[in-house]
Structure formats: C-alpha cells, structure tokens
Amino acid sequence: MDRKDLRIGDRVKYGDYVITVWSVGRESVMNDVDGVIPLDRLEPIYLSKELLLELGFKENIIEPTFYIHFNNGFVNTIEHEDGLWYVEIDNNIHESIGSTNIDSIHQLQHFVWDCLHQELKFI
C-alpha cells in the first residue's frame, strides 16, 4: 500500500491478520500485531455488508442501503455491482456534506472523519 493512503487508526490486512495502524513511516507501519510491517505487505480490507454491520451500520429494510447516525450527521452506503460502494454523508438537517465511491474500510474511515470528524470503530 502507498503510505499516502494510510492514517493512524486505519484497519488493514497483513497476511491473515487485521491490524490497526499506530504510526506510518516512509516504508513501514507500526501496528498492534507484529510491531513494524513493510508497507508492501499490507492490503486494504474490502467493504462488505458484514463489515458494515460490524462497524455499527444498520441495514435499511426498505432500500438496499446501510446507514449509521452520529451526533452531527448521517452516513449512507449502497453497493454497486462492480464492488464499489457509494457513500453519501449528510449533516443533521439532511444537507449533503459529501459523496464518493470507495472500496475499502480505510477509505470509509477517512471519508467519515473528513466530513464528520467521527471515528468508525468495530463493535
């Protein structure tokens, strides 16, 4: 992975492990599993319905979407057929703050933080 794509707190794959990035260096990251890991050994965790539920999202029974509410806004997601997820973030009065297409958890973490200053945590 490219170091520009990582932030402290990101969840990524390292072999069979899911790790949390503690710090990002020029060629490696510090993490909660094996200490220092080279960047080229890391992989993104691709979004799935199951992972969204683990992050606290709720499934909308009327539409094929997933959503989560924070004290300052809403995050709505819908899966495209090509593996991408469309994410739209609104404030509390349902004005759009931003929208984008993503495919991985760390991208979702970044977008939610950038728009709402909220961290997504596994429950």
Side-chain angles (χ1 to χ4, degrees):
M1 291 185 72
D2 190 321
R3 71 185 287 262
K4 294 180 282 186
D5 294 332
L6 294 172
R7 294 182 186 172
I8 294 170
D10 282 353
R11 304 282 293 215
V12 293
K13 281 184 70 172
Y14 167 56
D16 293 332
Y17 298 101
V18 173
I19 65 164
T20 300
V21 174
W22 285 356
S23 69
V24 181
R26 289 182 191 262
E27 298 178 9
S28 61
V29 298
M30 291 285 295
N31 69 90
D32 59 339
V33 174
D34 281 341
V36 178
I37 298 174
L39 289 169
D40 62 0
R41 306 271 316 272
L42 301 177
E43 298 176 27
I45 301 171
Y46 294 104
L47 279 179
S48 68
K49 295 173 185 177
E50 295 78 20
L51 286 174
L52 287 172
L53 293 171
E54 286 183 45
L55 288 166
F57 281 74
K58 307 279 189 247
E59 187 169 7
N60 186 332
I61 58 173
I62 299 170
E63 301 173 4
T65 63
F66 292 82
Y67 65 92
I68 191 169
H69 179 255
F70 292 101
N71 62 348
N72 59 340
F74 302 87
V75 180
N76 296 294
T77 65
I78 187 165
E79 186 177 16
H80 293 294
E81 292 178 13
D82 59 4
L84 287 177
W85 288 78
Y86 175 74
V87 179
E88 182 174 38
I89 298 181
D90 294 346
N91 62 20
N92 275 334
I93 57 173
H94 296 284
E95 296 171 328
S96 180
I97 296 173
S99 61
T100 190
N101 289 308
I102 60 171
D103 67 358
S104 62
I105 287 180
H106 75 279
Q107 291 173 339
L108 180 60
Q109 288 176 296
H110 296 186
F111 191 57
V112 170
W113 177 259
D114 291 345
C115 292
L116 297 175
H117 298 290
Q118 298 288 331
E119 291 203 36
L120 291 174
K121 298 179 183 174
F122 285 88
I123 55 174

